[in-house]
Amino acid sequence: MNREIALTVNKNAVTTSVEPRLHLADFLRGELGLTGTHLGCEQGVCGACTVIVDGKPMRSCIMPAVACDGADVVTIEGLDNDEVAGSLREAFSAHHGLQCGFCTPGMLIASRDLILRQGDCEEARIREELSGNLCRCTGYMGIVAAVKAASAGRKPQAASQEAGAQQVATASAAAAMAAPSKAAVATAQTVSGTDGWTELTQRVKVAADAETTWRFLHDIPRVARCLPGAEMTSFDGGSITGRMVVKFGPIKASFGGEGTLVFDEAKRSSILRGAGRDTGSGSQASGEVIYTLLPDAAGACEIDIRLRYRITGMLAQFSRGALIRDLVGRLTEAFAQNLAAAVTGHESASAPREISAGELLWAVLIRRIRALFGRPCT
Amino acid sequence: MSPTSTTTAGDYVASLRTAQQMIALDKIRARQKTPEPDGTLIGVGFATYTEQSAHGTKVFAAWGLPLVPGFEQASLKLTPDGGLEVRAGIVTIGQGLETTLAQVANEILTIPVSRIKVKLGDTATTPYSTGAYASRGIVMAGGAVSRSAEKLAERIKHIAAHLMQKRPDEVKFKDGRIEAGGARLDFAEVGRAWYLRPETLPENVDTGGLEVTEGYKPLVDGGVFSYATHAAVVTVDPRTGLVKILDYVVVEDCGRVVNPMIVEGQTFGGVAQGIGTALFEESTYDGQGQPLASTLMDYLLPGPTELPSIRMAHTETPSPYSAHGIKGVGEGGAIAPGATVVNAINDALRSLGAEVCEIPATPRRVLEAIAAAQKQAAA
Amino acid sequence: MKPVAFDYHKARDVGDALTALGAHDGDAKPVAGGCSLGPMLNLRLARPAKLIDLRAVGELRQLVRAPDHLMIGACWTHAEIEDGIVPDVTRGLMRQVAGGIAYRPVRNRGTIGGSLAHSDPAADWVTTMAVLDAGILISGRSGTRRESALSFMIGAYATTLQADELVTAVEVPVLSAGARWAYHKIARKTGEFALAIGAAVHDPARDYARVVCGAVEAPPLLLPRTSEALRESPSAAMKAAEAEIDTLLSAHDGIFKQHHNVAIERALAELGR
């Protein structure tokens, strides 16, 4: 759904309608023909797309144009008559500060801002301040020399002023989160990566005897409900179809797939294998869970859970992919706790539909205990 | 590669000695005798290399590559106003060929660079080329411009001699003008004669006129060899595995230097990429082949704070096989930093008995090397 | 790559933002600077139905000074903190940390509240707020609550924040005149995600000592024994730290632990200087 926006670009008023997903750089290049703004990575890393928004350099590739309603945008084309930009252009020519020119618009905008803020600059400061702008041609030699030359003898613009803080005390209400109490206790997990597979193990003590627990583990719909975000759509004794919704910060994936479940009655062990695909991100997940029942003393037992999983596609390839381990760790922890509670009839009436903060009560509690005592809760 | 008659055009020992002096090896060795106050280890490393540039037809054909370069061509035209147009199929990707090709033409015709228009890589208007790669641009296209300019010079001299009533062998070019035995003529007058006043041309004028297309290949297909020595001083933090480059010098020889600023620009950029290879850049995959460095947040490029201010010296050993003794320089800067930086790291780690044998030398690899050495020492 | 289509709402005030968030069954996403969300949108990892833009909400730009703390509205940017436009009640800690976040054009856009709500384990504010024992102020449709920075984050990208809640401000304790702090970050590149962060604050006048490991691929790790030892001296804290880190990070390999050990050791050394 298009939105009306009105903004100023290089001192010209622009009123138009944009799709919310259109980022500012594509708006400037595609809609306004201002191709001086370059797009390198579109991940906010390379700095080629840097433009001035309301007087400050920002990344135009990660900023929706719709969010610039009312903003004052200046691109490299708008700096033709700017005095500092003019001396930078001359210095970039004189010092061979560009070769292919791809990073140059971003470099000029970032270094102009540096000169306005800092005035005359030392080499180390220039290098530090331009660290958000990547160049592949010059080794930064000519760029640093040019900025140093253009900044020589200049004074910084008026120093920024501290905002006037209201001298008003605030009455902040500390609302305590209700923490549920449960009897089951989980052992600490270990995490290891092998060949793209990540393994987690988890042990959970159950306040029920092995026989009762083993029978419960055959009740697949109830077991499935213990896994936050899991939803079983069919089960015919050996094969399962279902869906698993996982929330990871702003990322939400919904893996639809199928699996098989095999019980080893003699060993009181079962293996669940499954694979699914998140159509949204095109990512695929496959994994297996092995539970083994370990009889304990007097009417209690332990469930040993071994989880192996592997994610392929965008979800595993983006830069913070390693953090998914933390998520799956919390997921397994919650599963183990829910399982232990459910065996003894303490499962919640409505199963959590996806893993997310509020629903992971146990994980929350454990983390809090950890924070309080500063060690893993065992 | 063992030096052959084609690679030996140069003084490699002198190159290494110059680098050794510039990096002040003696001072570094003295400094290494006392521990650094911040607990880091200091090391120095050198690497000398040759760069095969502008290797041609036989080499590529022998490699069985689909693309085999042949003759590089350039078209030169003297315009009616006395300016020069240079058209070549080679492409420019920021390496400054517009400038350096104009300089080559200027060398022969003396027409000022400001009056030379260079047009590159347009299949509609320029001769065919396989492109810019293998550090061949200035050697191949520069050679083509040179040969075209020589031929155009003969035609201009022939017309000019007739206009000035002199013998062609008396005609010389100097500072953008034509001279013969005290008489002077502007290039524009030759242009006007050919284009507008053909009745003033000599009877036996070359009907090809003031536009010439010539092709070029060096005397050898095996390439002309640039070379350089790089030296670096690094600190290694043995607790974190982080490496910092304190000083970096390059002693470079690309034969006849057409434009020092461009040679330095190409080299600095190459060194930056090479340092990226040495310390940062890595395409990682998991055991199943899934790429793990798919964004610039994972595939780290060095930024301005990760790179030193590079110091550079030039030596000039012209190639006997190319026009003007030029050798290619585009990629050379990136060849040596891996070896130079890792040699410096290993020099720093010598006291610990540790050695890094893999690039990029990430903090993890450095720490693993130290741990391996400690384990070996304990055993 | 370009983001998938989403709708957009520019919130007028906190109430309007909360209503808009609640109306989308968890598929609306609040956004301020968008420095973390933007790349995820472009990579199509995040596919929210609607963005609720908080940048025009005046309440999120409050600065309220109380005797013992400063309340900083969620939409103040890293650069405004770096430049001292937001008063620094932490005797320079917050200004130094702000100046080390990513790069200037990112700092000009990214906000303190957004960074905390996103909760990347390697993010600087997450660790800084934990070591300062700052409070996170949260508004939801059922009211407001305050949570300590340490308990707010529960995992990588996970906090106790509900889908229809907003971080509205942080309450940063005022450090006493004699307070000391140190913040040591180990990173391969300027502006890059940290390999390890060591943070320590010692404020004897307030009887406060805290040492925290940051960038542990999980919420910041409080070192209680080391913190206790810091009351005695930085060197006593250093003695306690190694064993404590080895125990608390036992699931990680030696190099991971070593980086964290060094970060803490150097932070404590700076604090003792």
Side-chain angles (χ1 to χ4, degrees):
Chain A
M1 192 193 314
N2 279 19
R3 299 268 162 183
E4 293 296 316
I5 57 168
L7 67 163
T8 308
V9 179
N10 298 335
K11 294 185 179 160
N12 298 315
V14 178
T15 304
T16 184
S17 122
V18 291
E19 236 193 314
R21 66 166 161 171
L22 183 73
H23 60 59
L24 178 61
D26 273 346
F27 172 71
L28 294 168
R29 292 173 54 85
E31 310 285 312
L32 304 184
L34 296 171
T35 51
T37 298
H38 291 171
L39 276 168
C41 66
E42 292 188 279
Q43 295 151 4
V45 179
C46 77
C49 71
T50 309
V51 299
I52 305 167
V53 180
D54 294 330
K56 295 166 183 171
M58 294 184 189
R59 303 280 203 244
S60 60
C61 75
I62 53 173
M63 190 186 295
V66 68
C68 296
D69 183 33
D72 177 20
V73 177
V74 178
T75 67
I76 192 69
E77 292 93 341
L79 294 176
D80 282 359
N81 300 315
D82 181 86
E83 193 269 318
V84 176
S87 49
L88 277 165
R89 279 193 297 270
E90 278 171 26
F92 267 61
S93 288
H95 294 272
H96 199 30
L98 66 149
Q99 288 177 29
C100 83
F102 204 92
C103 71
T104 314
M107 285 289 180
L108 287 172
I109 284 178
S111 47
R112 174 183 171 273
D113 176 66
L114 167 64
I115 292 173
L116 292 180
R117 280 186 293 116
Q118 305 291 332
D120 201 333
C121 282
E122 288 298 307
E123 180 180 331
R125 182 70 194 243
I126 296 168
R127 287 182 178 270
E128 191 76 28
E129 290 271 352
L130 293 183
S131 61
N133 293 71
L134 294 173
C135 172
R136 203 55 167 154
C137 297
T138 64
Y140 308 97
M141 293 286 292
I143 296 171
V144 172
V147 177
K148 192 162 168 28
S151 81
R154 287 181 185 270
K155 299 261 180 294
Q157 277 193 346
S160 42
Q161 301 244 312
E162 192 174 280
Q166 297 161 253
Q167 300 294 314
V168 185
T170 165
S172 54
M177 278 275 283
S181 61
K182 295 270 163 131
V185 175
T187 59
Q189 73 210 27
T190 57
V191 179
S192 60
T194 49
D195 267 10
W197 287 86
T198 303
E199 295 186 10
L200 294 99
T201 59
Q202 179 90 28
R203 269 192 193 190
V204 62
K205 282 190 197 297
V206 183
D209 62 37
E211 185 55 35
T212 312
T213 307
W214 183 238
R215 262 186 282 120
F216 174 84
L217 289 177
H218 283 69
D219 187 347
I220 305 309
R222 282 177 77 198
V223 171
R225 275 207 296 275
C226 294
L227 187 60
E231 188 189 352
M232 203 172 69
T233 47
S234 74
F235 175 61
D236 70 356
S239 57
I240 303 170
T241 58
R243 179 160 291 282
M244 174 91 184
V245 180
V246 180
K247 247 190 177 176
F248 187 46
I251 302 165
K252 191 173 180 180
S254 176
F255 291 95
E258 46 196 43
T260 57
L261 183 63
V262 180
F263 289 97
D264 182 337
E265 298 293 336
K267 289 183 183 160
R268 282 194 169 156
S269 175
S270 61
I271 304 178
L272 168 67
R273 287 197 180 88
R277 182 179 156 81
D278 171 41
T279 46
S281 65
S283 298
Q284 304 192 23
S286 42
E288 61 179 40
V289 189
I290 305 174
Y291 334 94
T292 309
L293 213 59
L294 307 166
D296 214 346
C301 67
E302 255 191 316
I303 310 174
D304 178 86
I305 303 169
R306 281 165 195 280
L307 175 77
R308 290 177 80 225
Y309 72 92
R310 175 165 191 266
I311 298 175
T312 56
M314 208 54 219
L315 268 178
Q317 293 166 13
F318 90 111
S319 66
R320 314 295 284 145
L323 302 182
I324 289 177
R325 274 193 320 210
D326 179 70
L327 171 83
V328 179
R330 282 180 285 123
L331 189 73
T332 314
E333 213 168 73
F335 177 59
Q337 296 300 337
N338 290 340
L339 206 59
V343 176
T344 50
H346 290 100
E347 67 204 291
S348 57
S350 63
R353 305 206 27 96
E354 63 194 38
I355 184 165
S356 70
E359 286 142 357
L360 261 179
L361 293 175
W362 269 104
V364 176
L365 186 63
I366 287 163
R367 294 284 164 185
R368 285 190 175 175
I369 292 169
R370 230 177 245 188
L372 281 176
F373 297 104
R375 57 178 179 274
C377 175
T378 53
Chain B
M1 189 185 298
S2 62
T4 63
S5 57
T6 43
T7 61
T8 46
D11 190 340
Y12 297 78
V13 174
S15 169
L16 184 58
R17 290 223 169 97
T18 308
Q20 182 183 332
Q21 279 159 15
M22 282 175 73
I23 205 87
L25 180 64
D26 297 349
K27 285 191 182 140
I28 302 298
R29 289 287 177 241
R31 184 173 163 181
Q32 282 174 321
K33 293 200 169 87
T34 43
E36 295 292 314
D38 61 358
T40 57
L41 302 167
I42 195 160
V44 61
F46 294 85
T48 302
Y49 69 90
T50 60
E51 179 193 7
Q52 186 181 22
S53 68
H55 34 310
T57 310
K58 281 179 195 145
V59 173
F60 278 73
W63 286 344
L65 296 180
L67 177 144
V68 178
F71 288 83
E72 194 71 21
Q73 291 171 304
S75 300
L76 264 60
K77 179 164 90 178
L78 186 74
T79 54
D81 61 355
L84 186 72
E85 268 180 28
V86 175
R87 299 195 309 278
I90 197 101
V91 285
T92 181
I93 45 176
Q95 71 275 54
L97 276 172
E98 296 94 334
T99 306
T100 48
L101 293 183
Q103 283 183 262
V104 171
N106 164 271
E107 178 83 12
I108 293 159
L109 299 169
T110 78
I111 296 173
V113 168
S114 60
R115 305 231 41 213
I116 302 175
K117 203 190 285 181
V118 179
K119 181 151 183 138
L120 302 173
D122 181 339
T123 50
T125 59
T126 65
Y128 175 77
S129 168
T130 53
Y133 53 92
S135 298
R136 67 193 291 275
I138 190 61
V139 179
M140 301 298 293
V145 168
S146 177
R147 288 202 55 191
S148 298
E150 298 279 10
K151 199 159 182 180
L152 182 60
E154 289 314 308
R155 294 189 191 171
I156 292 170
K157 282 176 181 173
H158 187 226
I159 295 171
H162 180 72
L163 295 176
M164 298 161 88
Q165 298 296 303
K166 303 280 182 189
R167 290 192 323 274
D169 63 2
E170 287 179 283
V171 180
K172 302 261 179 303
F173 302 141
K174 191 163 185 283
D175 298 333
R177 297 193 69 183
I178 304 165
E179 293 180 0
R184 288 179 156 202
L185 198 65
D186 283 340
F187 279 95
E189 289 170 78
V190 175
R192 195 178 310 118
W194 171 260
Y195 293 101
L196 305 173
R197 306 294 303 273
E199 70 273 21
T200 64
L201 294 170
E203 280 299 316
N204 58 348
V205 69
D206 189 325
T207 53
L210 296 179
E211 189 162 0
V212 173
T213 300
E214 263 300 333
Y216 175 78
K217 251 176 30 165
L219 294 174
V220 293
D221 256 356
V224 288
F225 285 77
S226 296
Y227 66 95
T229 300
H230 291 206
V233 179
V234 305
T235 58
V236 180
D237 184 333
R239 306 285 316 285
T240 62
L242 289 171
V243 175
K244 188 169 170 55
I245 299 172
L246 298 185
D247 195 10
Y248 202 102
V249 302
V250 176
V251 182
E252 171 282 331
D253 191 321
C254 62
R256 178 90 175 275
V257 176
V258 176
N259 185 317
M261 185 182 253
I262 283 174
V263 167
E264 286 175 11
Q266 291 284 291
T267 307
F268 292 150
V271 170
Q273 294 191 16
I275 289 174
T277 311
L279 295 176
F280 300 102
E281 299 177 36
E282 188 169 24
S283 287
T284 47
Y285 295 86
D286 73 8
Q288 310 286 314
Q290 172 165 238
L292 299 176
S294 63
T295 72
L296 284 179
M297 291 170 263
D298 313 273
Y299 186 90
L300 299 186
L301 301 186
T305 48
E306 286 71 54
L307 295 170
S309 188
I310 302 155
R311 297 185 292 132
M312 203 162 161
H314 302 275
T315 57
E316 272 190 303
T317 312
S319 168
Y321 305 109
S322 68
H324 308 288
I326 298 170
K327 308 175 198 169
V329 77
E331 293 156 283
I335 294 176
T340 308
V341 171
V342 173
N343 283 343
I345 291 170
N346 288 335
D347 183 48
L349 295 178
R350 215 153 34 130
S351 60
L352 304 177
E355 196 176 15
V356 175
C357 300
E358 205 177 343
I359 50 169
T362 59
R364 180 163 282 271
R365 290 200 175 108
V366 170
L367 291 180
E368 278 168 356
I370 293 172
Q374 282 166 345
K375 203 169 159 189
Q376 204 174 15
Chain C
M1 243 163 96
K2 311 298 175 189
V4 292
F6 54 77
D7 201 359
Y8 172 87
H9 176 71
K10 189 187 210 171
R12 293 182 302 276
D13 50 43
V14 169
D16 177 42
L18 292 174
T19 307
L21 278 176
H24 275 269
D25 196 23
D27 276 343
K29 192 73 198 150
V31 60
C35 295
S36 299
L37 184 60
M40 286 186 178
L41 288 171
N42 285 354
L43 291 166
R44 298 198 167 194
L45 286 164
R47 317 156 72 85
K50 189 169 195 168
L51 289 192
I52 313 295
D53 191 341
L54 305 175
R55 295 181 77 247
V57 177
E59 294 147 278
L60 301 177
R61 297 273 297 174
Q62 288 187 72
L63 288 172
V64 182
R65 180 73 152 86
D68 63 340
H69 69 254
L70 174 70
M71 192 194 87
I72 302 171
C75 280
W76 286 95
T77 64
H78 313 314
E80 286 165 331
I81 297 170
E82 174 189 15
D83 294 348
I85 294 170
V86 173
D88 188 3
V89 296
T90 63
R91 306 189 58 73
L93 170 59
M94 282 185 68
R95 282 188 74 170
Q96 182 189 305
V97 167
I101 297 172
Y103 320 106
R104 183 75 187 185
V106 172
R107 299 199 287 274
N108 279 334
R109 187 83 179 172
T111 65
I112 185 167
S115 171
L116 290 166
H118 183 61
S119 274
D120 190 308
D124 291 277
W125 289 133
V126 163
T127 300
T128 308
M129 293 301 112
V131 79
L132 284 167
D133 193 25
I136 314 286
L137 301 187
I138 296 156
S139 279
R141 276 182 297 170
S142 52
T144 61
R145 62 191 177 94
R146 179 188 191 276
E147 183 139 16
S148 89
L150 258 188
S151 62
F152 172 70
M153 183 173 169
I154 56 176
Y157 297 156
T159 66
T160 66
L161 204 63
Q162 301 288 311
D164 56 356
E165 286 185 321
L166 284 180
V167 170
T168 55
V170 287
E171 277 182 4
V172 179
V174 176
L175 294 190
S176 316
R180 307 289 314 262
W181 57 263
Y183 191 86
H184 190 89
K185 184 151 84 168
I186 298 176
R188 290 179 67 191
K189 270 188 67 176
T190 305
E192 204 49 45
F193 289 115
L195 295 171
I197 298 171
V201 171
H202 186 207
D203 189 351
R206 290 194 302 133
D207 192 26
Y208 181 87
R210 187 174 276 191
V211 184
V212 170
C213 286
V216 293
E217 294 177 0
L221 188 64
L222 175 67
L223 305 177
R225 288 193 199 111
T226 308
S227 303
E228 204 48 47
L230 181 58
R231 292 174 194 278
E232 194 187 311
S233 69
S235 54
M238 258 190 244
K239 283 193 194 91
E242 188 169 350
E244 193 169 29
I245 291 169
D246 276 352
T247 310
L248 294 179
L249 294 179
S250 58
H252 292 275
D253 75 0
I255 288 171
F256 188 92
K257 282 186 282 194
Q258 179 166 334
H259 277 144
H260 286 281
N261 261 313
V262 173
I264 291 290
E265 181 190 302
R266 290 183 183 170
L268 289 169
E270 281 164 36
L271 190 137
R273 229 169 265 146

